[in-house]
Amino acid sequence: MKLNEAQLKQLQDEGWLFLPDYFSQEEVDILKRESDRLFTLKRDEIYLEKDGTPRSAFAVHRYSAIFDALGRHPRLVEPLMQMYGEGVYLHQYKINAKAKFTGDVWQWHQDYGNWMEKDGMPEPKAMNISVFLDEVFPFNGPLMLIPKSHKHGVLESNKDSATTSFPLYTQPEETVERLCEEGGLMAPTGKPGSMLIFNGNLVHGSSGNITPFPRKIVYLSLNACSNYIRKPTREEWLAHQDFAPIEMVADDAILQFRDEAAA
Ligand code: SIN
Ligand code: MN
């Protein structure tokens, strides 16, 4: 799947692009069922909320054939190859659960600032691409984005790394205030199967979920192969080191797991 001129321009100017209903209901049912299974596992790559509810499952391609297929899916990989004009590899891969009632905040941050400082990624030639597994409403902790904030490059960040999640450099309140005055604030909402692409330098975060509606979103951070990380300092599941270009699967690859998911 290639992006058209208007979509490329939206990504360049605004730093994000939302594609509603991009995966079918049948595909999403397979992915969702598998994600529920993964969140019952006890693994180092699966992080918990303070009360023990699963929060994030990292590197899911390593222990799920279904999510391995999603990570190689042409509908995700091709737009990034098109933008960078070369092969891309998977820098980070996670499912963020944001559970009903207990799903906690993600502080304001830029991803590329973290990739640069913690992983030694040379250039902002990497982007996030995400797929909604649940319906994302305005009230169940949607991902919030500050449009155009990517144009400022890497912003000065708080260096204490203390967050509700794995350690991250976050953005000071004054910066968020200034950027919102400039670019506004938006939160893409929509049905399961919708897809969002956003620039690695776009400032983003999300609030807690006190509703009975979980908000599961899959995030892949794809990096241009020539931009491979030079100085990894984190656990391998937060910053992968397999720099070979992703080998894509067929467009109907998720549906091949239909029977397995129904079992
Ligand atoms: C992230 O920035 O990594 C995810 C934030 C969210 O899922 O709300
Ligand atoms: Mn992020």
Side-chain angles (χ1 to χ4, degrees):
M1 204 296 283
K2 291 244 165 61
L3 300 178
N4 62 33
E5 283 305 313
Q7 291 171 326
L8 287 168
K9 186 166 166 23
Q10 153 83 18
L11 249 179
Q12 213 166 30
D13 294 348
E14 299 291 319
W16 61 275
L17 174 69
F18 185 53
L19 300 164
D21 307 323
Y22 195 68
F23 284 85
S24 70
Q25 188 61 53
E26 195 181 3
E27 288 171 317
V28 173
D29 288 345
I30 293 168
L31 294 167
K32 186 146 187 305
R33 192 184 165 108
E34 175 69 347
S35 70
D36 290 341
R37 184 186 74 79
L38 297 179
F39 278 115
T40 65
L41 304 176
K42 304 266 173 290
R43 300 182 61 104
D44 289 345
E45 304 94 324
I46 300 183
Y47 290 48
L48 307 178
E49 300 282 5
K50 285 194 282 295
D51 71 349
T53 314
R55 175 176 171 87
S56 299
F58 285 90
V60 282
H61 56 307
R62 301 265 171 79
Y63 46 99
S64 164
I66 296 178
F67 277 94
D68 181 56
L70 181 68
R72 299 174 183 281
H73 202 285
R75 272 176 259 161
L76 284 81
V77 177
E78 272 178 4
L80 275 281
M81 289 177 61
Q82 178 190 4
M83 268 183 283
Y84 297 135
E86 61 173 297
V88 295
Y89 78 90
L90 198 46
H91 175 63
Q92 192 183 81
Y93 192 1
K94 60 184 180 270
I95 310 171
N96 280 349
K98 183 102 47 162
K100 59 183 180 182
F101 297 116
T102 57
D104 211 345
V105 171
W106 262 273
Q107 281 81 3
W108 293 109
H109 64 280
Q110 283 181 309
D111 284 340
Y112 178 66
N114 282 279
W115 299 335
M116 181 184 80
E117 298 199 37
K118 294 179 190 290
D119 308 328
M121 188 184 286
E123 284 180 68
K125 248 181 137 182
M127 283 210 189
N128 287 315
I129 187 154
S130 55
V131 180
F132 294 1
L133 296 188
D134 288 314
E135 179 152 5
V136 178
F137 297 104
F139 45 71
N140 63 348
L143 184 74
M144 297 184 284
L145 311 167
I146 307 182
K148 300 185 171 47
S149 53
H150 64 301
K151 297 205 162 155
H152 293 274
V154 177
L155 294 152
E156 200 160 323
S157 53
N158 296 322
K159 289 291 188 285
D160 61 6
S161 281
T163 68
T164 45
S165 196
F166 61 96
L168 272 180
Y169 294 149
T170 58
Q171 283 303 306
E173 289 175 357
E174 314 77 76
T175 308
V176 172
E177 208 161 348
R178 179 170 53 80
L179 294 172
C180 284
E181 271 166 26
E182 226 174 76
L185 185 59
M186 62 87 55
T189 55
K191 296 277 178 212
S194 299
M195 189 170 98
L196 172 71
I197 310 180
F198 61 101
N199 190 289
N201 269 329
L202 203 72
V203 176
H204 59 282
S206 62
S207 51
N209 183 12
I210 59 166
T211 75
F213 307 103
R215 187 231 67 174
K216 242 183 229 141
I217 302 181
V218 186
Y219 294 89
L220 293 91
S221 306
L222 299 178
N223 189 18
C225 288
S226 63
N227 196 39
Y228 67 92
I229 59 172
R230 306 300 205 261
K231 282 191 188 151
T233 63
R234 307 193 280 178
E235 289 89 348
E236 209 274 336
W237 63 76
L238 295 177
H240 299 307
Q241 293 178 49
D242 175 359
F243 307 133
I246 293 174
E247 283 177 30
M248 283 186 275
V249 293
D251 193 75
D252 66 351
I254 309 291
L255 297 175
Q256 300 308 314
F257 293 96
R258 196 184 272 128
D259 297 337
E260 199 171 307

